[in-house]
């Protein structure tokens, strides 16, 4: 029997359940993110304290008699007081009132757990991370590479996928397998031969090894496009052909409009890949003036010199643009055109 | 298919073949460009890059025939990029700074600079003897020393205060409370510093080894663990001098591994774990910095963490204790330059190397790296600089420890270097994580495995 | 009749090759050479920096008969793939399904779940190292609410792999988008028709949604398999193959051989063995696809 009557009530109940599940699941995202944010606001000295705290706080230290010293939460005559250590004489330490250094007390040595802490936010980490290296020019470099690679990838992958989706003749399955097999060989063993090739044609220390191959189709994207193209009914193609469209116009007028969501998805994926890619630039670039943002951030991971607080700040800044792009562009490639079914 | 298609394909293939033929670029007239590859060790932080660039500028301004250029690669990927560059006929002329481990990982790829030293009658007297020796191998000398990083025992003096214990000795050879400063003494001290949740220490009855909140001692995680047998009088190399026979299950080696096992399971002064990932104890690879360890034997390059320590507790340094044979072995790391075998301009690279280790230049490098300069004449300046970090820490101990550097160095080359290293690492991890309890048997297994790697190496050499 | 269709076939073939042109040229120019080179290296002893020495099939023989780490790492990678791929497929689909409902704050939720896949693998790894800590990590904290005592994850040879699987699932939002794009493409007319036929939610899911989504699911399955066999970054940063080789993924073992052991030739042999394993698996999944993947617009054999 038809359940249309209860469908609206049912869908409201469903939406509630979905909301609850989603909200609970999102904690798995928010909690790690909170630690990342906290790390980005911590100072260099405290980022390595254990346990990592969600709220950036620092030990309260104050200068007394020209020396910076710790302040502890002590109890004097039953009253809680915050006192700074002035002298350590083995078992008993001498403490002073931070506001009135002349006021002294002699009490037992304090435990670090009694150390006073205060909230300490260091938003300057963000500006430090940005200025330690020329991220302005790195950003420009990244955008240029990004534009070319995205354009080339989407353009060429669409063309190649169209062939695989709409043409069928002997050898196509084999070619498709070859296409897929190109990503099955681990890149570590391809690295040196590829590098030697690019070095020999003089493309080392240029952006060319990063940009040019993008114009020759990306196997993953071809595969994805092919899957979506295959879902478009042939009748639409036929209708266009009857109207006199050649293959290119079929592609432009039929396939692409129906595939706008996936085209935009691939565009987004490619942009994010280039944005985060530091290995390609690392291998092929020498002059720091040509570096990208992702590669520039690797500077904060030096041996004996890890600057985890700057790394965290940098990582958060890095993920902001892709996230914002996704947030605002969502409606274009998710709530895109709904394919109206052909009756019958 | 069509002839046009075939023509197209053959054109592409021809282009490919042409491109694959290695071309040798014509030697340009004018100053020789020496490229220095940074990434095998430290030196890749923006502040360090600045120091390098400043030095490059000064060199270039004063030398018309040689121009220097630094190529900096992040440490994690340096090996990969270096291999690619060498394979692509783009080997750099110099690599710096590079530690003993970096040298060993690519041992056959470095040029012997002994002929250069001889030809120029280069004066090595200002260098610490052990610092020079560590870069001398049986068949070659790889570089001039830049800096050294000796080991000391860092300790959290606040913890000693709370436990009401006197601080460890300050000089090598000093006694502690009437007993000589040996590992046995250290362990006993460490037990008093190891506390469980109820603040009982490891010497007291009722001590709960399953709920330790503070540990007394840690160390040896940052070096291949073959330094420990060295302290026990064994052969730190772990094999015969001709590198053909593995000797990792000798009495001294077994004593060393048993000692490590006991520190965790019998005396409870050291936590279980594989180091890096036990963040509750090791923080970010820094047991002292986590505030949970009383004493930590580590190299001096941990200098970068000093400000974090000072922000949280008071600390000082004690000498590395003597092993059961009474000998003090303060293991050290050392940075140097190296000239790749494939370097296009080795002679000029040698000139650059000499300039970089001149006292006025070397000191800027070592300050940037956090190293102790390898020249004795720079020791006083180093002490002055360190006093700015803290006036309480016993900085002289670092300089004294240089004379006790381990020989052969804990990172020194052995055949099939990385495989042997991994085998030793796995062995040590198996003991520290508790996977293995019979340490003698573990060493017998390790010995067989390493012997296999040695055999594999020599077989390929034939 | 015969000549017209064969002429049409030729024209079709020309168009097909024209469209395939970019890929074919790129393949010959950028990919084929290095692939052939690495195949050549697999028959040599090659450090990567000095000249390769031909040794024939020695690498392959050693690999199959004399190297327990080969089987070990293959086993670990297989285990990972067989656990992580199905989980990520189900989770990704579930996520997309839930986020397809008209719930308030839809855009925010979607962005939130998408976020982890945008963060670079290096940062993800470092972040999770602290969260999996035995005493202070959030994961064990949550487990303690559920009454369990969490293990010492990364220092425990039995649980290190589990931790890595969980971390890999954190980025499942990336695949979620593809599912969402696919879900949007299902005509509402199909749902309406099924409702008129009296279909409940579950039947709609299994009779309409899943079949229409099968091309996308198929894509994620293939990509998932191939990616799992190439898994490297997070494991390399967090465990480097440890503790005691418990997470020695195939690619980690390969990387060690290529760049640390000076055995690039052996690494190339490892690479090609992996290649064939993945190829066989992919081919099998493709074979099976005709049984469960439904394409609306597939060109049928005439």
């Amino acid at each position: 029997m038809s359940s249309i009557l209860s469908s609206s009530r049912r869908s409201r109940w469903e939406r509630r359940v979905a909301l609850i599940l989603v909200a609970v699941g999102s904690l798995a995202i928010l909690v790690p993110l909170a630690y990342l944010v906290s790390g980005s606001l911590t100072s260099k000295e405290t980022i390595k304290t254990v346990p990592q705290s969600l709220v950036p706080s620092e030990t309260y230290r104050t200068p007394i008699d020209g020396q910076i010293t710790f302040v502890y939460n002590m109890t004097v005559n039953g009253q809680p007081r915050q006192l700074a250590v002035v002298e350590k004489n083995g078992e008993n330490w001498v403490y002073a009132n931070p506001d009135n250094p002349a006021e002294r007390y002699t009490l037992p040595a304090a435990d670090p757990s009694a150390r006073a802490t205060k909230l300490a936010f260091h938003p300057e980490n963000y500006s430090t991370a940005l200025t330690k290296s020329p991220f302005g020019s790195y950003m420009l470099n990244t955008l240029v590479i990004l534009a070319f690679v995205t354009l080339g990838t989407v353009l060429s992958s669409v063309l190649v996928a169209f062939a695989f989706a709409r043409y069928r003749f002997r050898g196509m399955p084999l070619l498709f397998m070859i296409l897929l097999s190109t990503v099955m060989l681990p890149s570590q063993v391809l690295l040196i031969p590829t590098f030697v090739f690019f070095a020999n044609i003089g493309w080392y220390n240029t952006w060319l090894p990063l940009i040019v191959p993008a114009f020759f189709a990306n196997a993953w994207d071809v595969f994805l496009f092919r899957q979506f193209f295959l879902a478009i009914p042939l009748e639409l193609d036929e209708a266009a052909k009857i109207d006199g469209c050649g293959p290119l116009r079929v592609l432009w007028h039929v396939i692409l409009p129906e595939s706008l969501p996936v085209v935009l998805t691939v565009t987004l994926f490619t942009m994010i890949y280039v944005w985060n890619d530091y290995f390609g630039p690392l291998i092929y670039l020498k002059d720091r003036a040509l570096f990208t943002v992702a590669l520039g951030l690797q500077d904060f991971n030096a041996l004996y010199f890890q600057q985890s607080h700057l790394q965290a700040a940098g990582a958060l800044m890095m993920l902001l643009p892709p996230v914002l792009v996704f947030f605002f562009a969502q409606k274009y490639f998710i709530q895109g055109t709904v394919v109206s079914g052909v009756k019958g | 298919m069509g002839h046009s298609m075939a023509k197209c394909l053959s054109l592409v293939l021809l282009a490919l073949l042409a491109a694959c033929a290695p071309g040798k670029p014509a030697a340009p007239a004018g100053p020789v460009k020496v490229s220095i590859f940074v990434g095998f060790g430290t030196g890749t932080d923006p502040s360090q890059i600045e120091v390098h660039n400043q030095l490059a500028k000064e060199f270039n301004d004063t030398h018309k025939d040689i121009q220097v250029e630094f190529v900096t690669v992040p440490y994690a990927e340096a090996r990969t990029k270096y291999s690619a560059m060498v394979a692509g006929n783009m080997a750099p002329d110099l690599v710096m700074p590079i530690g003993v481990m970096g040298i060993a990982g690519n041992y056959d790829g470095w040029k012997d600079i002994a002929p250069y030293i001889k030809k120029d009658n280069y004066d090595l007297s200002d260098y610490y003897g052990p610092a020079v020796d560590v870069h001398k191998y049986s068949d070659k000398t790889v570089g001039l020393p830049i800096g050294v990083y000796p080991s000391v025992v860092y300790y959290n003096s606040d913890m000693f205060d709370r436990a009401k214990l006197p601080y460890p000795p300050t000089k090598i050879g000093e006694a502690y409370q009437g007993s000589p400063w040996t590992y046995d003494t250290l362990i006993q001290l460490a037990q008093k510093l190891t506390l469980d949740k109820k603040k009982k220490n490891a010497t007291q009855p009722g001590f709960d080894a399953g709920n330790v909140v503070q540990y007394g001692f840690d160390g040896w995680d940052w070096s291949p663990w073959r330094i420990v047998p060295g302290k026990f009088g064994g052969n730190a190399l772990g094999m015969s001098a001709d590198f053909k026979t593995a000797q990792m299950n000798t009495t001294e080696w077994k004593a060393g591994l048993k000692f490590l096992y006991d520190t965790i399971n019998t005396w409870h002064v050291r936590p279980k774990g594989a180091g890096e990932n036990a963040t509750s104890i090791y923080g970010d690879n820094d047991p002292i910095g986590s505030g949970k360890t009383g004493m930590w034997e580590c190299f001096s390059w941990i200098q970068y963490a000093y400000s974090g320590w000072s922000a949280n507790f008071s600390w000082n340094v004690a000498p590395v204790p003597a092993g059961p044979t009474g000998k003090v072995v303060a293991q050290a790391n050392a940075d140097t330059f190296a000239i790749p075998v494939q370097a296009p301009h080795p002679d000029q690279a040698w000139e650059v190397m000499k300039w970089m280790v001149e006292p006025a230049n070397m000191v800027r490098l070592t300050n940037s790296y956090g190293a102790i300069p390898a020249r004795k004449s720079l020791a006083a300046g180093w002490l002055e600089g360190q006093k700015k970090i803290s006036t309480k820490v016993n900085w002289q101990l670092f300089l004294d420890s240089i004379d006790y550097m381990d020989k052969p160095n804990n990172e020194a080359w052995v055949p099939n270097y990385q495989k042997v290293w991994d085998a030793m690492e796995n062995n040590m991890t198996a003991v520290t994580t508790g996977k293995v309890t019979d340490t003698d048997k573990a060493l017998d297994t390790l010995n067989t495995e390493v012997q296999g790697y040695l055999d594999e190496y020599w077989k390929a050499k034939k | 009749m015969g000549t017209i269709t064969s002429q049409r076939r030729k024209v079709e073939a020309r168009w097909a090759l024209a469209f395939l042109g970019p890929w074919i040229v790129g393949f010959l120019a950028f990919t084929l050479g290095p692939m052939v080179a690495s195949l050549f290296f697999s028959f040599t002893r090659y450090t990567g920096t000095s000249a390769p020495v031909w040794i024939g099939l020695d690498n392959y023989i050693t690999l199959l008969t004399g190297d327990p780490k080969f089987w070990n790492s293959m086993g670990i990678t297989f285990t990972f793939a067989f656990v992580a791929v199905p989980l990520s497929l189900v989770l990704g689909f579930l996520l997309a399904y839930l986020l397809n409902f008209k719930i308030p704050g839809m855009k925010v939720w979607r962005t939130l779940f998408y976020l982890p896949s945008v963060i670079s693998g290096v940062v993800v790894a470092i972040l999770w190292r602290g969260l999996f800590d035995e005493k202070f990590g959030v994961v064990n904290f949550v487990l303690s609410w559920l009454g369990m005592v969490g293990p010492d994850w990364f220092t425990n040879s039995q649980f290190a792999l589990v931790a890595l699987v969980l971390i890999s699932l954190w980025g499942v939002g990336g695949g979620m988008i593809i599912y969402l794009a696919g879900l949007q493409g299902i005509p509402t007319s199909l749902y309406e028709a099924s409702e008129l036929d009296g279909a409940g939610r579950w039947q709609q899911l299994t009779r309409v949604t899943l079949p229409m989504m099968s091309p996308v699911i198929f894509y994620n399955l293939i990509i998932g398999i191939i990616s799992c066999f190439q898994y490297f970054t997070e494991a390399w940063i967090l465990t480097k193959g440890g503790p005691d080789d418990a997470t020695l993924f195939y690619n980690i073992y390969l990387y060690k051989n290529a760049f640390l052991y000076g055995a690039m030739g052996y690494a190339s042999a490892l690479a090609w063995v992996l290649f064939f394993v993945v190829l066989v698996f992919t081919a099998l999944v493709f074979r099976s696809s005709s049984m469960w993947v439904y394409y609306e617009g597939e060109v049928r054999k005439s």
Side-chain angles (χ1 to χ4, degrees), chain A residues 88 112 115 282 285 304 307, chain B residues 45 81 158 162 304 311-312:
Chain A
K88 289 186 187 179
R115 222 170 256 156
L282 187 148
L285 298 177
Y304 310 155
Q307 312 221 45
Chain B
D45 183 80
K81 177 148 187 182
D158 287 351
R162 287 195 294 277
Y304 68 94
N312 289 299

Side-chain angles (χ1 to χ4, degrees), chain A residues 45 48 50 59 70 88 91 93 110 112 115 191 195 199-201 204 278 282 285-286 302-305 307, chain B residues 19 42 44-45 48-49 69 77 80-81 84 90 158 161-162 164 279-280 283-284 304 307 311-314:
Chain A
E45 284 78 25
K48 301 210 182 211
V50 161
T59 50
F70 290 109
K88 289 186 187 179
E91 290 196 8
W93 293 354
R115 222 170 256 156
L191 177 71
F195 180 84
N200 281 333
I201 57 177
Y204 179 65
Y278 73 89
L282 187 148
L285 298 177
K286 183 181 68 163
L303 187 64
Y304 310 155
F305 254 85
Q307 312 221 45
Chain B
T42 187
T44 58
D45 183 80
Q48 297 171 315
I49 295 177
E69 175 190 55
E77 280 83 27
T80 324
K81 177 148 187 182
M90 272 184 218
D158 287 351
D161 290 342
R162 287 195 294 277
K164 307 195 182 20
T279 60
S280 40
D284 192 4
Y304 68 94
S307 61
N312 289 299
F313 49 83
S314 298

Side-chain angles (χ1 to χ4, degrees), chain B residues 1 5 9 16 79-80 83 86-87 274 276-280 284 342 418-419 422 426 429-430 433 435 453 460, chain C residues 17 24 28-29 45 48-49 69 129-130 133 135-136 154-155 157 237-238 243-245 255-256 259-261:
Chain B
M1 222 208 310
M5 194 52 86
L9 282 172
L16 254 180
R79 283 292 289 271
T80 324
S83 303
V86 170
E276 256 177 69
N277 289 304
T279 60
S280 40
D284 192 4
Q342 304 91 347
Q418 194 67 49
K419 281 195 187 177
D422 281 353
N426 284 345
T429 309
T433 54
K435 204 164 148 201
Y453 295 142
Chain C
L17 276 168
I24 294 183
L28 292 172
R45 191 186 309 122
T49 47
K69 292 205 192 211
R129 179 196 291 155
D133 180 68
K135 292 196 168 59
F136 299 124
F154 286 118
T155 54
S157 9
I237 294 175
L238 286 166
D244 198 15
D245 283 354
Y255 176 86
K256 284 189 170 181
F259 294 108
L260 299 179
Y261 295 165

Side-chain angles (χ1 to χ4, degrees), chain C residues 198-274:
Chain C
R201 204 38 121 186
W202 178 254
Q203 276 161 321
Q204 274 188 338
L205 182 64
T206 52
R207 295 290 166 81
V208 177
T209 316
L210 283 178
M212 291 303 281
M213 289 283 286
S214 56
V216 171
I217 298 178
F218 179 64
Y219 172 81
N220 274 325
L221 176 62
I222 297 284
I223 296 302
I225 292 176
I226 298 180
S227 315
C228 272
F229 276 99
Q230 309 245 4
Y231 185 72
F232 179 77
T233 311
E234 283 85 356
W236 179 248
I237 294 175
L238 286 166
T239 60
K240 287 214 164 38
D244 198 15
D245 283 354
T247 57
L248 189 72
F249 282 89
Y250 198 83
N251 251 23
I252 292 188
Y253 186 50
L254 194 150
Y255 176 86
K256 284 189 170 181
N257 272 291
F259 294 108
L260 299 179
Y261 295 165
M264 180 66 87
Y266 190 69
S268 305
L270 285 172
W272 278 90
V273 169
L274 182 74

Side-chain angles (χ1 to χ4, degrees), chain A residues 73 75 127 143 207 276 295 328:
Chain A
N73 293 319
T75 320
S127 55
L143 289 176
W207 293 333
N276 277 333
L295 185 53
F328 290 111

Side-chain angles (χ1 to χ4, degrees), chain B residues 146-413:
Chain B
I146 308 176
V148 286
Y149 307 95
S151 292
V152 295
V153 174
Y154 293 93
Y155 65 89
N156 182 332
S157 45
D158 287 351
M159 268 191 209
F160 277 80
D161 290 342
R162 287 195 294 277
K164 307 195 182 20
L165 290 165
Y167 299 146
T170 52
K171 284 204 187 32
I172 300 181
E174 250 179 33
Y176 181 70
Q177 301 292 87
S179 317
W181 181 237
T182 63
Y183 274 105
D184 290 332
T185 316
L186 179 136
I187 294 296
Q188 282 166 14
L189 180 58
Q191 283 187 300
K192 298 200 189 117
L193 287 170
T194 307
L195 304 175
D196 67 11
K197 259 204 295 208
K198 300 204 168 80
K199 295 287 196 287
K200 276 203 154 95
N201 74 46
T203 58
Q204 295 171 320
F207 172 70
D208 180 5
N211 271 310
V212 178
V213 296
Q214 178 179 297
Y215 288 95
F217 175 70
D218 211 301
W220 316 323
D221 283 348
W222 283 84
S223 42
W225 100 272
R226 58 188 183 174
I227 53 160
V228 178
K231 295 172 194 277
F232 279 69
N235 172 13
L237 202 57
M239 52 190 73
S240 56
D242 62 1
F243 302 115
K244 291 222 168 99
T245 316
Q247 292 172 345
M248 293 196 179
N249 54 354
T250 58
T251 339
E252 295 86 5
W253 274 69
K254 289 192 167 165
L257 194 59
K258 179 86 180 29
F259 186 83
L260 176 66
Y261 177 83
D262 285 336
T263 56
I264 302 173
N265 300 294
T266 314
W267 305 313
H268 306 293
V269 299
R270 190 198 160 102
K272 248 177 142 160
E276 256 177 69
N277 289 304
T279 60
S280 40
I281 307 298
Y282 291 87
D284 192 4
N285 254 321
D286 181 359
I288 282 259
S290 71
K292 304 242 173 319
T293 312
M295 297 184 279
W296 185 34
E297 188 178 315
C298 185
F299 302 92
S300 70
W301 43 246
I302 198 72
Q303 168 134 339
Y304 68 94
Y306 291 167
S307 61
W309 297 356
S310 303
N312 289 299
F313 49 83
S314 298
W315 57 277
N316 211 324
V317 292
V320 169
T325 58
K327 206 170 126 206
V328 171
V329 175
Q331 62 275 17
N333 285 156
D335 280 345
T336 182
F337 295 87
I339 303 181
V341 159
Q342 304 91 347
H345 315 112
D347 299 341
Q348 288 82 353
W350 166 247
E351 295 300 316
V352 174
M353 196 196 278
K354 280 194 294 183
W355 185 87
M356 289 283 177
V357 292
E358 276 169 30
N361 302 324
M362 179 200 264
V363 73
R364 283 186 283 173
L365 288 174
T366 53
N367 281 343
S368 162
Y369 301 157
I372 299 175
R375 284 182 182 274
K376 297 182 221 169
S377 57
L378 294 173
W382 182 79
L383 278 176
E384 278 308 303
Q386 294 299 96
K387 290 218 172 68
K388 296 203 191 94
I389 299 179
S390 159
T391 50
K392 298 217 184 87
V393 173
N394 174 23
W395 299 113
Q396 180 62 37
L397 178 62
F398 289 92
L399 297 172
D400 295 340
S401 302
I402 297 179
D403 287 324
Y404 293 85
M405 267 169 72
D406 49 336
K407 203 176 155 94
N409 188 273
N410 55 90
E411 292 182 344
W413 178 84

